[in-house]
Amino acid sequence: MKLKSALMGAAACMAWAPMAIADGHEGERGRDGEVKIIYWQAPSILNPYLSGGTKELEAASLMLEPLARYDTDGNLVPWLAQEVPTVANGGVAEDLKSITWKLQEGLLWSDGTPVTSEDVKFSWEYCTAEGGGCAQGEKYLDVVSVDTPDDLTVVVNFSVAKPFPYGPFVGAQAPIIQKAQFAECLGPKAPECTDENFGPIGTGPFVVTDFRTNDVFTAVANENYREAGKPAFASVTFKGGGDAAAAGRAVHETGEFDYAWNLQLAPDVLSGMAEAGIGENVVAFGTSVERIMINMTDPSAELGEERGTAKHPHPFLTDKSVRQALSMAIDRALLTEVGYGEFGKLTCNVLPAPAIFNSSANDGCLVQDIEGAKGVLDAAGWVPGGDGVREKDGVRLSVLYQTSTNAVRQDYQALIKQWWEEIGIEVELRNIDASVFFGSDPGSPDTFQKFFADIEMYTNNFDGTDPESYMANWVCDDAPRPETQWQGNNMPRFCSEEYDALRAEMASTGDIDERARLAKAMNDMLMQEYIILPLTHRGRNSAHAKTLGGVQLNVWDSELWNIADWYRIGE
């Protein structure tokens, strides 16, 4: 069967052997005292189903775990499951319409109760509950039912043949939550369950003891963790807030913290900090792209509860010529040099990796063309007014451009504002505290998912090496809106039947070359419609104390994926 063989083609770069990491530092659980982590973007919640922010996904990964996840090479490895199901081992059905997972025996939640297949099934029910909003809904596309024939067996049934059936319950974005804890938190009630969302019972190496939103949380070693002698640390202090420079100094110069995430700093600043000899910078390239998102809806406050929804198209950004001119005016090479140096690469794609999925059809964006941008606007009838700002039919090209507070991002904003004003577009800049911008509060007007601005900028990526779920971010139904509690990853509110059809075709296509063709086609549609303007393919920069062992920077899953293996060197 072509589809059956294609399953292994789509997963050709994945390994199926159980994960085994030796830290070379054996002993009693909790032997190494406290480990201190700083994320300058503070988590606002510890439920990854209610936030699309990386800070929440990674913070929650200390407690919540999936059936399988990705290692540092992007290989799929079993985690709570006994093995990764495949056609070859009988775990994936011959018709590719179901996948059967087997839980490890003896798994316990941190409260000491057994983990069962009902918890796995419930995690799907929670994310897909009617009237709710799930930030990771694309992980469960095409799932029609989940069966639990016994306590250790989970059968996921799909509406179509799925050559790549590893969306549900795989990676940090789709972990297992406890049914007993969240049973009363379905649908519209989900964001109201504060105790549950701030202190999830999990299977991971740590248990939350105190959570202060947008600030700090503490956790202690899970006494019911499945691996003896792990974690080595008795407790974790996870501090959020501040800025990237302060986080870097806290590891490199003062030694106050052991690990600092996402040091979005200029290369010379990073190398200068490392000269103190206390910390070590680590970097790896995955799929992270700093990008500009174009709002296809009207964010005007005058629209009340309907602002930022498909009911009200944007007054001028729905004009492709305007979006194209915005892109043409940007000097991506200069931005990348200034912001990231060797830790950044040029890209014209929102899907830059793995290489087989990287399109070459959009490389024209690498050359800035100010005069060409002016010509595009001229041809579309946007003419400069008395103050130099272009207008047509009484509509002025004036944009509110928002992003999170960060030195590199403010540098990007300043340069892009200058270029856009050169072509006759008025630009107002706004920067929002990262903990709020990437937060999950459905009542806040300042989150990147609500997108109450014309333009916004941030970085995002995806779990693993297959982009099927990632490209599903831009299907019509994934647009954040009041009905989904403003959850969803289609921030531009882009909607195309053709795009949705490509996504559906990829879901049932097994041949790796055909999957690549479809992924590129979706990427190219977004790029050539100028819905997303990629700026820089970013490396992931973090730092850890030289006394912290076991760290393996992972750009394919949670950066804290193997915290159970961390230990203190020399103590």
Side-chain angles (χ1 to χ4, degrees), residues 520-534:
K520 288 178 181 179
M522 285 184 276
N523 172 87
D524 293 349
M525 183 181 298
L526 294 167
M527 300 305 97
Q528 291 164 21
E529 287 296 318
Y530 305 98
I531 303 300
I532 300 173
L533 311 183

Side-chain angles (χ1 to χ4, degrees), residues 161-192:
K162 293 283 284 189
F164 190 85
Y166 307 113
F169 317 122
V170 174
Q173 296 176 354
I176 311 306
I177 58 176
Q178 189 191 54
K179 180 177 181 178
Q181 184 182 31
F182 284 91
E184 302 302 317
C185 301
L186 292 172
K189 296 180 180 178
E192 300 172 5

Side-chain angles (χ1 to χ4, degrees), residues 127-262:
C127 187
T128 57
E130 184 176 354
C134 182
Q136 316 304 335
E138 68 276 2
K139 288 287 189 176
Y140 298 99
L141 288 175
D142 304 315
V143 177
V144 291
S145 64
V146 177
D147 298 328
T148 55
D150 60 56
D151 283 351
L152 298 182
T153 305
V154 180
V155 183
V156 182
N157 300 298
F158 300 101
S159 59
V160 296
K162 293 283 284 189
F164 190 85
Y166 307 113
F169 317 122
V170 174
Q173 296 176 354
I176 311 306
I177 58 176
Q178 189 191 54
K179 180 177 181 178
Q181 184 182 31
F182 284 91
E184 302 302 317
C185 301
L186 292 172
K189 296 180 180 178
E192 300 172 5
C193 292
T194 303
D195 291 344
E196 292 83 355
N197 294 329
F198 286 2
I201 293 168
T203 57
F206 292 98
V207 181
V208 179
T209 53
D210 181 63
F211 180 84
R212 282 177 268 170
T213 187
N214 293 332
D215 184 10
V216 64
F217 77 87
T218 55
V220 296
N222 177 6
E223 291 303 320
N224 290 302
Y225 188 61
R226 60 191 173 276
E227 294 189 61
K230 295 181 180 181
F233 289 102
S235 64
V236 174
T237 296
F238 192 111
K239 182 74 175 76
D243 56 43
R249 288 193 296 269
V251 169
H252 280 301
E253 297 176 0
T254 70
E256 182 182 359
F257 284 84
D258 297 297
Y259 193 89
W261 162 86
N262 188 26

